[in-house]
Amino acid sequence: MRAGFPDFRLGNVLATSFTGTLSERFGDSVERIPVPRRLIDWLAVYGLTVDSCTPEQLELARELRESIHAAATAAALREALPAAAVQVIDDRSVEGRAAAVLTPEGERRWRLGSSSVEDALAVIAADAVDVISGERDGKLALCASPTCRAAFFDTSQSRTRKWCDMNTCGNRQKKARFNAGRSSNEAGESGFAGPAPRE
């Protein structure tokens, strides 16, 4: 990744991975697409190559990102979807021109109509519609990390994943629990153990 910018947190589901371009929403938040060039870089990782990105297009992307996050969070909590978020997702979905194509290897890829940010956002929005509407096999859940709480799409067999990413949130939480347990054990060992036995 480009020097001077935070690394991307990549996942297998386009829409929820896109919401991960802003992480640690309830802690010290990290903006992973702070400038238009970084949005171009992120899109390219997912095969959505665009020619350029203006600051205005970056703002459109962030608006879509936050709308997907809001709608996916509501869906994970089984609450009513926020109407404004749904409207943004729907608008982005219908405004772009992109087509699903099949590669010789039998994989689906997207062909953008004009290599524009709007076309790429339409693909992300369409993926969000599939995930949030329940068309995809899996379950929306929220990361158990109190500083993250990212919506993620759980496709594990048991549908019991706790973390949006085991390598980041999961490991951090396990380490925190381990350190807390060790601290309480050390406090118990150094604490007052009662009167010394009489001889």
Side-chain angles (χ1 to χ4, degrees), residues 130-157:
D130 282 351
V131 168
I132 295 168
S133 68
E135 289 297 312
R136 298 260 296 272
D137 185 27
K139 181 185 88 168
L140 277 165
L142 298 180
C143 183
S145 167
T147 60
C148 178
R149 303 298 289 159
F152 66 91
F153 197 59
D154 184 3
T155 57
S156 67
Q157 190 170 10

Side-chain angles (χ1 to χ4, degrees), residues 43-144:
L43 292 170
V45 170
Y46 286 93
L48 301 172
T49 304
V50 299
D51 295 331
S52 62
C53 179
T54 66
E56 293 76 22
Q57 288 171 319
L58 177 60
E59 285 309 308
L60 279 179
R62 287 177 176 164
E63 180 186 40
L64 175 61
R65 176 185 70 191
E66 296 312 299
S67 297
I68 294 171
H69 174 71
T73 297
L77 295 171
R78 292 180 170 72
E79 296 175 353
L81 302 183
V86 169
Q87 188 65 54
V88 169
I89 294 167
D90 290 348
D91 288 349
R92 293 293 92 73
S93 182
V94 301
E95 286 172 1
R97 291 179 297 138
V101 296
L102 194 61
T103 69
E105 297 77 30
E107 297 176 350
R108 184 187 73 171
R109 293 283 184 265
W110 288 96
R111 182 176 298 154
L112 304 184
S114 63
S115 297
S116 71
V117 169
E118 287 80 4
D119 285 355
L121 295 181
V123 173
I124 297 169
D127 192 62
V129 169
D130 282 351
V131 168
I132 295 168
S133 68
E135 289 297 312
R136 298 260 296 272
D137 185 27
K139 181 185 88 168
L140 277 165
L142 298 180
C143 183

